[in-house]
Amino acid sequence: MANKENEKILLAHGGGGQLTEELLRNHIFPKIQNKTLSKLGDSAELTVPSNELCFTTDSYVVKPLFFNGGDIGKLAACGTINDLSVAGAKPVALSLALIIEDGFEINLLEKILESIGQIARENNVDIVTGDTKTVERGAADKIFINTAGIGVKIPNTNLGIDKIEAGDKIIINGTVGDHGMTIISQREGIKFDSPLKSDCAALTDLTCKLLENVNGIKFMRDPTRGGLAATLNEIAKSSGLSVKIKENDIPVDKTVQAAAGMLGFDVLAIANEGKFITVVSPDSADEVLNISRKHPLGKEAMIIGEVVTSSNVPVVELVTRIGGKRIVQMPYGRELPRIC
C-alpha cells in the first residue's frame, strides 16, 4: 500500500481517466463536498432568490504556498469572498480551479483544500463547480488557483465612488501591511522577536453587519495589492476629491513597521488580505466604529482621515507624526510580486 506522505500529482491525473476520477473522489471532493457539487455536472444549478447579483474572479500564485496565518487555499477563498463582501453582497457560491504541477505532493494538496473547505463552511458558502488541470514540472511553480464567486446584493445597499462627498470619513478595520510583510519575511528567512502573521481572513460577517445596520456607508474596498496607498489614490482620482489621512491614526503593528523600515518598504503600499477601507458620512462614523470594534476582525478599527475638496489635482495627503505633510503616491508597480 502506497505511503500517503509520498503520493504525488502526475500529469496523468489531468487526463480525464481513472487517475483523474481517483484524485477527485479521494482527495478533492472530501474536503469541499456539498449537495450542489455532488451532482458532478458540467455546470452548477443554483437557486438564488435575488434580482441583483455580484460576480467576481481572481487567480492566486502566492509564494510561499504556506505562510504564518494561512496558505494559498485560505487566501483564494478569502480573497474572492472579500471582493464580493466589499461590493455590498453576501457571498453564496464559489468555483475552484486548480492548476497543479507534476510531482506536487498530494498531502500538501489536501491541506490546501482543507483550508478552502473550512473557510467556505465558516462563511456559509458552497464550492459549487471547478476544474483540475495538471502541467509539466516547472510550468506552474507547484500549484496555481483560480476562484470565482457569486454574491447576493444586500437590500438597500448602493455603494460607489460617485457617492463620496467632501467631509466623509475614511475608516479601516485594523492594522495595515501584515500580509505583505509576512510573505516577504518568510521568503527571505528573516526572524523577528514577535513573529509576523498574515491578516488573511474572510470579511463577510463584519461587512454584512455594517451594511445591514448603518445607512451612511458609501464605499468599500479591500486594500490588497498596492495596499492603502493604491486604494486611497483610486478614491481620489475617481471622485475628483482629495484625501487627507493622519499617520498617527493609521494602525500598524510595531513588528510590521520595523520590518518594512528595515527592508525599505512603505507600509502604506503593502498588501493586506483581511482589511477593508470604508468611506462613510460623518454622522455614521461612530456607529461603524462601534459595530466594528465589537467584531474580532474590527477590534482595531480607526478613522484614519477624511475626504476634502481639491483645489487642483486631487491627491492623497499624509499628515506625519511630527506635523509635516507629504503626498502619498500611487505605487508605480507591485513592490512585492506574487503576494497573493
Side-chain angles (χ1 to χ4, degrees):
M1 186 174 181
N3 184 348
K4 188 175 180 180
E5 292 290 326
N6 296 324
E7 289 185 272
K8 298 183 185 297
I9 293 294
L10 306 174
L11 278 175
H13 278 116
Q18 180 180 336
L19 281 180
T20 300
E21 194 272 337
E22 290 178 356
L23 177 66
L24 296 172
R25 185 184 68 242
N26 297 334
H27 304 289
I28 295 179
F29 290 153
K31 306 298 182 182
I32 57 174
Q33 191 64 277
N34 56 74
K35 290 182 180 179
T36 303
L37 188 62
S38 66
K39 295 179 181 179
L40 300 181
D42 282 340
S43 63
E45 295 182 9
L46 302 176
T47 302
V48 183
S50 176
N51 292 322
E52 195 167 6
L53 300 176
C54 292
F55 177 64
T56 188
T57 187
D58 210 341
S59 299
Y60 297 86
V61 297
V62 67
K63 183 178 182 178
L65 298 178
F66 297 86
F67 47 86
N68 191 20
D71 57 51
I72 190 173
K74 181 180 180 181
L75 190 63
C78 289
T80 297
I81 286 172
N82 291 347
D83 284 346
L84 292 169
S85 300
V86 297
K90 183 176 179 60
V92 295
L94 299 181
S95 71
L96 173 66
L98 307 172
I99 299 174
I100 313 172
E101 188 179 87
D102 177 39
F104 188 60
E105 296 90 338
I106 285 181
N107 67 309
L108 297 183
L109 174 62
E110 289 187 342
K111 289 180 180 178
I112 290 167
L113 291 166
E114 182 61 46
S115 294
I116 296 172
Q118 181 177 341
I119 292 297
R121 290 187 294 272
E122 288 175 352
N123 290 275
N124 297 313
V125 176
D126 285 339
I127 312 293
V128 296
T129 190
D131 184 44
T132 302
K133 293 291 191 298
T134 55
V135 295
E136 300 87 351
R137 290 178 187 244
D141 201 0
K142 299 181 180 178
I143 184 171
F144 295 156
I145 297 179
N146 173 273
T147 45
I150 295 174
V152 175
K153 200 73 177 288
I154 296 172
N156 303 315
T157 298
N158 189 16
L159 304 178
I161 285 181
D162 59 311
K163 308 295 187 298
I164 297 174
E165 300 173 286
D168 288 341
K169 303 299 181 182
I170 301 169
I171 295 174
I172 192 166
N173 64 306
T175 55
V176 300
D178 300 41
H179 177 74
M181 293 317 304
T182 298
I183 296 298
I184 194 63
S185 68
Q186 286 195 215
R187 279 187 201 163
E188 302 299 329
I190 302 170
K191 304 292 184 182
F192 297 94
D193 291 338
S194 298
L196 296 174
K197 184 177 181 180
S198 170
D199 60 337
C200 184
L203 295 165
T204 188
D205 186 60
L206 177 53
T207 57
C208 284
K209 279 185 170 66
L210 290 171
L211 292 168
E212 290 167 355
N213 291 282
V214 184
N215 291 324
I217 297 174
K218 300 183 176 183
F219 176 80
M220 281 186 173
R221 181 68 55 83
D222 52 337
T224 52
R225 287 176 295 176
L228 189 61
T231 300
L232 294 180
N233 271 280
E234 287 171 6
I235 291 172
K237 181 179 180 180
S238 298
S239 69
L241 297 167
S242 289
V243 170
K244 179 180 286 188
I245 55 175
K246 295 182 179 180
E247 190 173 19
N248 280 332
D249 294 335
I250 300 171
V252 184
D253 178 86
K254 291 181 180 179
T255 305
V256 169
Q257 185 67 71
M262 183 180 74
L263 297 171
F265 291 111
D266 180 356
V267 72
L268 298 183
I270 301 299
N272 311 273
E273 292 294 344
K275 300 298 184 301
F276 66 90
I277 291 291
T278 184
V279 181
V280 306
S281 61
D283 56 355
S284 300
D286 286 343
E287 190 176 3
V288 170
L289 284 180
N290 290 336
I291 292 173
S292 297
R293 288 172 177 172
K294 292 176 182 177
H295 192 280
L297 297 179
K299 290 180 178 179
E300 297 178 271
M302 290 286 292
I303 298 174
I304 62 171
E306 65 179 349
V307 179
V308 297
T309 55
S310 177
S311 58
N312 193 358
V313 178
V315 297
V316 178
E317 183 181 72
L318 175 75
V319 179
T320 68
R321 289 187 174 88
I322 61 173
K325 297 179 180 179
R326 74 173 176 91
I327 302 300
V328 178
Q329 301 283 357
M330 171 68 82
Y332 178 71
R334 291 180 299 167
E335 291 195 18
L336 301 174
R338 296 188 59 183
I339 209 72
C340 60

